[in-house]
Amino acid sequence: MPTSQLDQQFAFLCEIDQLKNVIRQSPLLDQSRKENSAEHSWHLAMYALLLKDYAEEEVDISRVIQMLLIHDIVEVDVGDMPIHQTSSGGSQEVLEDVAAIRLFGMIPGMQGTELLALWREFEQSISADAKFAKALDRVQPLLINIRTDGGTWTENGVTLEQVLERYGPTTKRGAPALWERCEQWVQQHFAAREP
Amino acid sequence: MPTSQLDQQFAFLCEIDQLKNVIRQSPLLDQSRKENSAEHSWHLAMYALLLKDYAEEEVDISRVIQMLLIHDIVEVDVGDMPIHQTSSGGSQEVLEDVAAIRLFGMIPGMQGTELLALWREFEQSISADAKFAKALDRVQPLLINIRTDGGTWTENGVTLEQVLERYGPTTKRGAPALWERCEQWVQQHFAAREP
């Protein structure tokens, strides 16, 4: 008996349960443990819902939320690539695309095709929706670091200049008003650490 | 200096970080640990995205997803109430409403008011969007139990009749086609356990 469309959808929903075991570098705000990519995705969707009015261009917030819900699903196959890790020279991007094809390929019909396209739109970061989603994906971990005495910056010996370079352009492009506030926090954080 | 609207929104987004530490009864599918309410909320939003065509009535899937993202936020204050626990006689509902007023009250202006109304709409379970969201909130833990050899049913000595009564009506009302498949799993699960 062929697997029904519904059973294929349920199989995908079970497969992505593994995202709850993909551990990121960022801690929870109470620093009791590291954050996982499933709860990070929920938190980002909440960021989008609350902060939609700060998008640089007009966005479809429903699409932004959907993008953020699925943006890390490839990590089920390839794990998380921390922002402060040395570049993979493009190999991570290829592996992530292969993972996206496998995972969204589990979803039958046009639905799988559409979600693959939405994931690639996020990765390409050209559309207004994707640029805003990418900006939020910088703001959330930045705020965690601000609230946890430097978090992954302190751990990795990241400098003020590196923070401005790694978070600034992406955040500013999608949500300039958010970057303005973030930059104040960043400057205050590093000023307070000066000897 | 008064706190800006943006800083109030960020304060709310930091406050709900605590949802990552609210532990549910359901395990992850690999049974390595219990699920928390933040990652559960992400998973439910993915259920809505994938299964929207199975809603009994026409729904606005963007609203359903937003409902599911916020539906457990009150647990930051009052914790999770497991489905197989003895009824609180209505006191839990009162505590949850107080928590909703406090938490959504952290969000300035109409945005807080609107999110409180959306949360209450989910709780009341009268609108088409809320009925579908509630159905999904039954289907996800049911599928976990099916995939983990009975999960919380086995732990709590829950019978076939209790499963049908606690999951059936809510699921059937919002998504009858999903209940049809769920009921098959449930019947098979309990049939296989008969001595």
Side-chain angles (χ1 to χ4, degrees):
Chain A
M1 194 176 78
T3 309
S4 74
Q5 173 172 310
L6 177 56
D7 279 358
Q8 289 175 50
Q9 290 164 314
F10 277 129
F12 173 80
L13 289 168
C14 287
E15 185 78 2
I16 63 174
D17 200 71
Q18 297 173 71
L19 201 60
K20 299 168 189 171
N21 276 329
V22 175
I23 308 303
R24 293 167 51 79
Q25 283 217 329
S26 296
L28 301 196
L29 289 184
D30 69 3
Q31 303 191 57
S32 56
R33 62 172 172 82
K34 300 282 188 186
E35 190 184 38
N36 71 58
S37 291
E39 61 199 6
H40 161 71
S41 300
W42 164 76
H43 212 171
L44 271 187
M46 287 300 304
Y47 268 65
L49 188 54
L50 267 281
L51 305 176
K52 57 190 173 191
D53 293 339
Y54 301 96
E56 167 69 347
E57 300 168 66
E58 192 174 316
V59 295
D60 177 342
I61 200 61
S62 174
R63 294 188 80 246
V64 172
I65 289 174
Q66 290 178 27
M67 263 182 206
L68 290 168
L69 290 172
I70 67 168
H71 83 291
D72 271 346
I73 280 178
V74 294
E75 294 179 1
V76 163
D77 282 0
V78 300
D80 178 48
M81 169 65 78
I83 190 172
H84 304 301
Q85 194 163 304
T86 315
S87 163
S88 63
S91 64
Q92 182 75 3
E93 289 74 7
V94 174
L95 291 174
E96 287 187 351
D97 201 73
V98 170
I101 292 167
R102 183 188 82 76
L103 286 158
F104 296 117
M106 294 179 68
I107 305 168
M110 280 306 292
Q111 190 171 46
T113 312
E114 285 167 10
L115 287 177
L116 176 60
L118 191 67
W119 178 83
R120 284 180 172 156
E121 181 181 332
F122 172 81
E123 284 299 308
Q124 287 157 6
S125 192
I126 294 169
S127 72
D129 293 344
K131 282 189 283 187
F132 183 54
K134 280 272 181 191
L136 296 176
D137 196 25
R138 289 290 185 283
V139 172
Q140 190 255 5
L142 182 147
L143 184 50
I144 290 175
N145 283 345
I146 292 294
R147 290 290 194 108
T148 57
D149 195 29
T152 63
W153 301 334
T154 307
E155 268 173 31
N156 293 283
V158 176
T159 65
L160 167 64
E161 291 67 32
Q162 287 170 328
V163 169
L164 296 178
E165 176 201 325
R166 291 174 190 173
Y167 296 79
T170 301
T171 310
K172 200 171 178 177
R173 205 165 65 111
L178 297 184
W179 177 247
E180 197 181 317
R181 189 73 186 97
C182 287
E183 192 176 4
Q184 289 168 350
W185 289 329
V186 170
Q187 295 285 1
Q188 283 165 11
H189 169 78
F190 281 94
R193 296 177 72 86
E194 275 179 9
Chain B
M1 195 176 76
T3 308
S4 74
Q5 174 171 309
L6 177 56
D7 279 358
Q8 289 176 51
Q9 290 165 314
F10 277 129
F12 172 80
L13 289 168
C14 287
E15 184 80 0
I16 64 172
D17 200 70
Q18 298 174 69
L19 201 60
K20 300 168 188 171
N21 275 329
V22 175
I23 308 302
R24 293 166 50 78
Q25 283 217 328
S26 296
L28 301 196
L29 288 184
D30 69 3
Q31 302 190 56
S32 57
R33 61 173 173 82
K34 300 283 187 186
E35 191 185 37
N36 70 59
S37 291
E39 61 199 4
H40 161 72
S41 299
W42 165 76
H43 213 172
L44 271 186
M46 287 300 304
Y47 269 65
L49 187 54
L50 267 279
L51 304 177
K52 56 190 174 190
D53 293 338
Y54 301 96
E56 168 70 346
E57 301 168 66
E58 193 174 316
V59 295
D60 177 342
I61 199 60
S62 174
R63 293 187 82 247
V64 173
I65 288 174
Q66 290 178 27
M67 264 183 206
L68 290 168
L69 290 172
I70 66 167
H71 83 291
D72 271 346
I73 279 178
V74 294
E75 295 179 1
V76 162
D77 283 0
V78 299
D80 178 47
M81 169 64 77
I83 188 172
H84 304 301
Q85 194 163 303
T86 315
S87 164
S88 62
S91 64
Q92 182 75 7
E93 289 73 7
V94 174
L95 291 173
E96 287 186 351
D97 201 72
V98 170
I101 291 167
R102 183 188 83 77
L103 286 158
F104 296 118
M106 294 179 68
I107 305 169
M110 279 307 292
Q111 189 170 47
T113 312
E114 284 167 10
L115 287 176
L116 176 61
L118 191 67
W119 178 82
R120 284 180 170 156
E121 181 180 331
F122 172 81
E123 284 300 306
Q124 286 157 7
S125 193
I126 294 169
S127 72
D129 293 344
K131 282 189 282 187
F132 183 54
K134 279 272 180 191
L136 296 175
D137 196 26
R138 289 289 184 283
V139 171
Q140 190 254 6
L142 182 147
L143 183 50
I144 290 176
N145 282 345
I146 292 293
R147 291 291 193 106
T148 57
D149 195 29
T152 63
W153 301 335
T154 308
E155 268 174 32
N156 293 283
V158 176
T159 65
L160 168 62
E161 290 67 32
Q162 288 170 325
V163 169
L164 296 178
E165 176 201 326
R166 291 173 190 174
Y167 297 78
T170 301
T171 310
K172 200 172 176 176
R173 205 164 66 110
L178 296 184
W179 178 247
E180 198 179 316
R181 189 74 186 96
C182 288
E183 192 176 6
Q184 291 168 350
W185 288 330
V186 170
Q187 295 286 0
Q188 284 165 11
H189 169 78
F190 281 93
R193 297 178 72 86
E194 275 179 8

